[in-house]
C-alpha cells in the first residue's frame, strides 16, 4: 500500500491521507478497500476490482492470506458537518503534530478544511463538552445524527462542499506558502530572539527554571503517610521546589507583561522617538524607566511628560534668574542677550597681548617641583656635591698627566668607583694650597650597533629588572639584545674579575664570565663581550690591563 502523507499536499487543498492500490496504483481513498491481514504484508491495500481478479504483487498471496474489508466511515457521529473519518484524522493529527498546530492538522484531515474551522470544531466538540474529555454524543447507542443525516445525504453534502471550495481555490490568486522560520532571527522579528508566533523569547528570564522539575513525578497516592496522614519529607521537598518554580514563572510572566504593555518590542518606533528627544530628556526618560513596572503605559507616558515639563520649567526659571542678575527687564532684551552669549561662546579665546582677560582667566596650576630623593641622588649620573671627590693636590710636574693625580709624597690617589666616575680619597688640609685638577667631564658613549640585528625594545612589561639599569645601560642592552637580568650577571662577573687584578682586565678575558653559584664559566658572544668591555672601560668601572 502506498501512503501519501500531507507533506506532498499543498496547504489549502483537498490534502489528507491518501491510499493507493498496490497493484494498479488507483486512488482508493474515498472507496471501499481490501487490506491484507497477514503479518508479511505491511500496509498492503487493494481496490475491489484487483481483489476480485485475484491480482497480487510482492509477497502477497491471495489464496492463503487473510484480509479485511475497510469501508469509509463518512457518517456524522458528533457533528452534523463532520464525518467519523474526519474525527479520526483530527485526533490522529493532534497526536502527531501536537495540539495547537491547527494548520498542520487541517492539512492532515484534507477536504479543504481550514485551521480556524478545525480549531473551532475541536474546542466546541471536545473542550466545551459537559462530558469532558468525551464529546456529548460519545454513547455508542446514540444514532440521532445518523437518522437525521443518512449516509447518502451526508456524502452528497460533503462532495458539494469540497467542489465549492475547490472552485473558490482555483479562482483565487495563487499565494506563495509562507515558510516557517526555523530559528529566531531578525527576519522573524525586529527584536532578535523573540518568536512572535509563540509570544516567547529564545532565552527567557530564569531560563534554567525547568531543569529542576523536568524529571519530577507525582503518582496518585504518593507523598502521604497512610498511618499518620502527613506529607512525607520527599513530598514536602517536591512541593517546595514546585513553589520556587511557580514563583519564577510568575516573575517571567510579569516581565513579559511589562514588555507587551509598554510596547518595548517595537524597537524601530521607540528608537525613532528616542532620537527626537534632547540629551537631557533622554537621560530623564532612562532614569524613569524602572517605574514602568509599577504602572500601565498611559500612566507612565503621563509621568514622563510631566517630568519633562518640570525639567523645562526649571531651566526657564534658571534663565530668568540669570537675566535678573544681568538687569534685563524685557523678553526682547533677554533674547538678544542669549544670542550674544552664544556668539561669544563660539568665538575662539584671544591670546597674547590682545587678551584683556589674561589676568582674570583661570589658568592651569603650576605643577609642584619634585625634590629628588636620596635614592635618585645616588643613582644619578652626576653625583651630588656632598659625595663628589675632594680633588688631590698635585705637584707642578704632575699636571701633565690627566689620567692620574700624583700626591706630593709620590703616591697615586685612588678611590672607590662610583657610578662610572673615578673617586679619590679625601686628602689632608695641608695639600689644599697646591694646584687642584677639575673633575673630568663625562662624555656620551656611542654604542656600535650589531650587524643585521634590530635593537630590542625593552619595557617594564617584558623586562622586569629594567628599573635597576641606568639610561646608558638600558640603551646598551637594547642594542645588544640582552635582557636586564643576564646583563647584571655579566656586570657582576666582570667587575669581580677586575677587582682580583687591581681593577684591570684584558679584553679576551671578558669573553668568559663566572656567574655566582655556577660550577663553570659561561661563554659570551665575542661581539657583544667586546662592546660591553668598551662600555665598562668608558664608564670607569674597569681599566684595560
Amino acid at each position: 500500500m502506498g501512503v501519501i502523507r500531507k507533506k506532498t499536499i499543498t496547504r489549502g487543498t483537498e490534502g489528507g491521507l491518501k491510499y493507493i492500490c498496490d497493484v494498479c496504483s488507483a486512488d482508493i481513498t474515498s472507496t471501499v478497500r481490501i487490506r491484507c491481514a497477514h503479518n508479511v504484508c505491511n500496509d498492503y491495500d487493494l481496490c475491489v476490482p484487483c481483489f476480485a481478479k485475484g491480482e497480487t504483487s510482492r509477497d502477497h498471496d491471495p489464496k492463503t492470506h487473510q484480509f479485511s474489508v475497510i469501508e469509509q466511515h463518512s457518517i456524522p457521529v458528533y457533528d452534523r458537518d463532520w464525518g467519523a473519518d474526519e474525527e479520526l484524522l483530527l485526533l490522529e493529527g493532534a497526536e502527531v503534530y501536537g495540539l495547537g498546530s491547527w494548520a498542520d492538522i487541517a492539512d492532515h484531515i484534507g477536504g479543504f478544511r481550514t485551521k480556524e474551522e478545525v480549531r473551532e470544531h475541536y474546542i466546541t466538540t471536545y473542550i466545551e463538552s459537559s462530558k469532558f474529555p468525551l464529546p456529548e454524543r460519545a454513547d455508542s447507542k446514540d444514532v440521532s445524527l445518523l437518522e437525521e443525516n443518512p449516509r447518502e445525504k451526508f456524502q452528497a453534502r460533503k462532495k458539494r462542499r469540497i467542489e465549492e471550495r475547490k472552485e473558490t481555490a482555483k479562482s483565487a490568486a495563487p499565494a506563495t506558502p509562507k515558510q516557517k522560520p526555523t530559528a529566531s532571527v531578525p527576519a522573524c522579528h525586529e527584536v532578535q530572539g523573540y518568536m512572535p508566533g509563540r509570544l516567547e523569547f529564545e532565552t527567557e528570564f530564569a531560563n534554567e527554571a525547568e531543569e529542576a522539575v523536568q524529571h519530577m513525578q507525582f503518582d496518585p497516592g504518593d507523598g502521604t503517610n497512610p498511618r499518620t496522614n502527613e506529607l512525607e519529607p520527599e513530598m514536602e521537598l517536591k512541593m517546595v521546589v514546585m513553589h520556587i518554580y511557580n514563583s519564577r514563572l510568575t516573575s517571567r510572566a510579569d516581565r513579559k507583561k511589562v514588555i507587551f504593555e509598554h510596547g518595548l518590542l517595537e524597537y524601530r518606533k521607540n528608537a525613532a522617538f528616542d532620537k527626537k528627544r534632547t540629551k537631557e530628556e533622554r537621560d530623564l526618560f532612562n532614569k524613569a524607566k524602572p517605574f514602568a513596572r509599577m504602572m500601565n503605559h498611559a500612566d507612565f507616558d503621563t509621568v514622563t511628560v510631566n517630568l519633562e515639563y518640570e525639567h523645562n520649567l526649571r531651566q526657564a526659571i534658571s534663565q530668568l534668574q540669570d537675566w535678573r542678575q544681568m538687569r534685563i527687564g524685557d523678553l526682547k532684551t533677554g533674547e538678544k542677550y542669549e544670542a550674544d552669549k552664544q556668539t561669544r561662546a563660539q568665538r575662539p579665546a584671544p591670546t597674547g597681548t590682545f587678551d584683556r582677560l589674561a589676568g582674570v582667566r583661570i589658568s592651569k596650576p603650576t605643577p609642584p617641583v619634585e625634590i629628588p630623593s636620596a635614592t635618585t641622588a645616588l643613582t644619578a649620573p652626576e653625583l651630588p656635591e656632598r659625595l663628589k671627590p675632594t680633588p688631590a693636590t698635585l705637584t707642578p710636574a704632575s699636571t701633565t698627566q690627566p689620567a692620574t693625580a700624583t700626591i706630593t709624597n709620590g703616591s697615586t690617589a685612588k678611590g672607590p668607583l662610583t657610578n662610572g666616575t673615578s673617586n679619590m680619597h679625601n686628602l689632608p688640609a695641608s695639600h689644599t694650597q697646591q694646584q687642584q685638577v677639575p673633575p673630568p667631564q663625562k662624555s656620551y658613549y656611542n654604542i656600535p650597533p650589531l650587524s643585521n640585528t634590530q635593537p630590542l625594545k625593552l619595557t617594564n612589561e617584558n623586562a622586569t629588572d629594567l628599573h635597576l639599569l641606568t639610561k646608558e645601560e638600558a640603551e646598551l642592552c637594547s642594542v645588544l639584545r640582552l635582557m636586564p637580568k643576564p646583563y647584571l650577571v655579566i656586570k657582576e662577573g666582570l667587575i669581580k674579575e677586575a677587582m682580583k687584578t687591581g681593577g684591570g682586565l684584558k679584553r679576551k678575558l671578558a669573553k668568559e664570565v663566572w656567574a655566582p653559584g655556577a660550577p663553570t664559566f659561561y661563554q659570551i658572544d665575542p661581539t657583544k663581550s667586546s662592546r660591553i668591555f668598551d662600555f665598562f672601560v668608558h664608564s670607569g668601572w674597569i681599566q684595560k690591563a
Side-chain angles (χ1 to χ4, degrees):
M1 184 272 297
V3 179
I4 301 178
R5 292 285 180 181
K6 69 101 187 176
K7 291 299 181 183
T8 61
I9 305 300
T10 57
R11 183 163 295 176
T13 60
E14 186 175 356
L17 193 65
K18 290 190 176 184
Y19 296 94
I20 298 175
C21 179
D22 285 277
V23 176
C24 64
S25 298
D27 186 5
I28 55 176
T29 304
S30 302
T31 61
V32 178
R33 66 181 186 274
I34 311 300
R35 168 159 292 189
C36 180
H38 200 274
N39 55 3
V40 176
C41 301
N42 185 22
D43 292 338
Y44 190 86
D45 291 309
L46 292 174
C47 62
V48 175
C50 291
F51 176 76
K53 295 178 183 179
E55 300 289 344
T56 181
S57 63
R58 294 188 295 182
D59 298 333
H60 178 64
D61 187 4
K63 299 178 181 180
T64 59
H65 290 187
Q66 297 180 356
F67 63 90
S68 59
V69 180
I70 300 178
E71 298 183 8
Q72 287 297 313
H73 304 293
S74 187
I75 55 175
V77 288
Y78 302 144
D79 192 289
R80 63 183 303 273
D81 293 329
W82 282 72
D85 53 348
E86 292 178 318
E87 298 287 353
L88 291 174
L89 291 174
L90 170 61
L91 298 178
E92 182 183 354
E95 182 181 1
V96 173
Y97 303 109
L99 195 61
S101 302
W102 304 116
D104 295 335
I105 297 174
D107 293 342
H108 185 77
I109 296 172
F112 290 92
R113 294 288 187 184
T114 61
K115 61 179 182 179
E116 293 81 6
E117 187 178 6
V118 174
R119 179 179 179 273
E120 182 180 357
H121 173 71
Y122 183 84
I123 293 176
T124 304
T125 306
Y126 296 94
I127 303 299
E128 297 179 354
S129 173
S130 60
K131 300 178 182 180
F132 178 82
L134 298 177
E136 292 286 350
R137 296 183 174 90
D139 190 0
S140 59
K141 299 179 181 180
D142 188 359
V143 292
S144 58
L145 283 179
L146 183 58
E147 293 176 354
E148 296 175 3
N149 301 278
R151 180 190 296 268
E152 293 77 12
K153 182 180 179 181
F154 178 79
Q155 290 182 352
R157 188 168 65 249
K158 178 181 178 182
K159 184 177 180 180
R160 186 167 55 253
R161 175 177 56 82
I162 293 176
E163 292 296 334
E164 290 177 357
R165 295 190 179 184
K166 186 182 294 185
E167 292 297 331
T168 305
K170 287 182 180 180
S171 60
T176 304
K178 186 177 180 181
Q179 299 291 335
K180 289 184 178 181
T182 57
S184 297
V185 293
C188 178
H189 195 267
E190 56 184 311
V191 177
Q192 186 173 0
Y194 176 67
M195 296 172 282
R198 301 176 59 180
L199 299 179
E200 293 179 354
F201 293 89
E202 190 172 2
T203 303
E204 294 281 354
F205 171 75
N207 200 42
E208 298 81 11
E210 285 76 9
E211 295 181 359
V213 297
Q214 60 181 349
H215 300 298
M216 191 177 297
Q217 296 180 358
F218 292 90
D219 297 329
D222 289 349
T224 304
N225 193 337
R227 297 179 180 178
T228 60
N229 293 328
E230 295 180 356
L231 288 178
E232 295 180 355
E234 182 179 359
M235 181 57 64
E236 291 182 358
L237 178 61
K238 287 183 178 180
M239 297 305 297
V240 171
V241 174
M242 287 300 300
H243 178 71
I244 297 174
Y245 173 64
N246 291 331
S247 64
R248 291 181 178 179
L249 291 184
T250 303
S251 301
R252 183 185 299 175
D254 292 342
R255 282 164 170 78
K256 284 185 180 179
K257 182 180 178 181
V258 173
I259 293 174
F260 297 147
E261 173 70 24
H262 295 276
L264 300 182
L265 293 175
E266 300 176 358
Y267 175 76
R268 295 187 179 91
K269 182 179 178 181
N270 296 333
F273 285 152
D274 198 39
K275 289 181 180 179
K276 296 179 180 179
R277 298 186 178 98
T278 61
K279 184 178 181 301
E280 293 80 7
E281 293 176 351
R282 195 180 303 117
D283 295 340
L284 193 64
F285 181 75
N286 292 332
K287 291 180 180 179
K289 278 183 178 180
F291 298 98
R293 300 177 61 181
M294 308 175 188
M295 57 189 76
N296 55 29
H297 186 59
D299 294 343
F300 181 71
D301 285 344
T302 304
V303 170
T304 53
V305 170
N306 292 336
L307 287 176
E308 292 177 2
Y309 182 66
E310 179 189 2
H311 175 71
N312 295 333
L313 285 179
R314 289 180 181 274
Q315 285 187 337
I317 292 172
S318 177
Q319 187 180 47
L320 291 176
Q321 291 176 349
D322 187 17
W323 289 2
R324 175 177 293 180
Q325 292 180 359
M326 303 302 297
R327 298 184 181 277
I328 297 175
D330 56 332
L331 184 61
K332 185 177 181 179
T333 308
E335 293 177 354
K336 184 177 183 303
Y337 168 74
E338 292 294 335
D340 295 343
K341 182 179 179 180
Q342 186 176 3
T343 304
R344 288 194 302 270
Q346 295 177 354
R347 186 184 306 166
T351 56
T353 57
F354 298 98
D355 189 2
R356 296 180 298 172
L357 302 177
V360 181
R361 186 178 292 109
I362 301 176
S363 59
K364 295 183 178 179
T366 305
V369 180
E370 296 183 359
I371 301 175
S373 61
T375 306
T376 307
L378 290 174
T379 57
E382 293 80 18
L383 293 178
E385 293 294 335
R386 60 185 181 82
L387 296 179
K388 285 185 178 180
T390 303
T393 56
L394 306 178
T395 59
S398 63
T399 56
T400 58
Q401 299 177 1
T404 59
T406 306
I407 309 178
T408 53
N409 57 3
S411 62
T412 302
K414 293 182 180 180
L417 301 176
T418 306
N419 246 21
T421 305
S422 180
N423 194 6
M424 293 181 291
H425 293 293
N426 294 335
L427 299 179
S430 58
H431 297 279
T432 57
Q433 292 91 4
Q434 299 188 11
Q435 185 180 1
Q436 296 182 354
V437 178
Q441 295 293 331
K442 185 178 178 180
S443 61
Y444 177 77
Y445 177 69
N446 188 11
I447 305 170
L450 298 177
S451 59
N452 299 327
T453 304
Q454 292 292 335
L456 183 64
K457 186 176 181 180
L458 298 178
T459 60
N460 292 325
E461 287 76 15
N462 59 11
T464 55
D465 300 325
L466 185 62
H467 63 284
L468 301 177
L469 308 182
T470 61
K471 184 178 180 181
E472 292 80 9
E473 289 178 313
E475 184 180 359
L476 175 67
C477 292
S478 175
V479 173
L480 301 183
R481 299 184 65 84
L482 278 176
M483 298 302 289
K485 186 172 291 186
Y487 166 77
L488 293 175
V489 174
I490 295 173
K491 177 181 178 181
E492 182 180 2
L494 291 180
I495 292 178
K496 285 187 176 181
E497 288 296 324
M499 291 176 62
K500 294 179 181 178
T501 58
L505 187 67
K506 295 183 179 180
R507 184 183 296 272
K508 64 179 182 179
L509 295 179
K511 299 178 182 180
E512 296 181 357
V513 178
W514 178 82
T520 58
F521 287 84
Y522 289 94
Q523 296 288 336
I524 308 177
D525 183 27
T527 308
K528 296 182 179 180
S529 64
S530 177
R531 284 164 172 75
I532 294 174
F533 180 83
D534 294 337
F535 176 79
F536 285 4
V537 171
H538 177 268
S539 299
W541 296 338
I542 61 176
Q543 296 179 359
K544 291 184 179 180

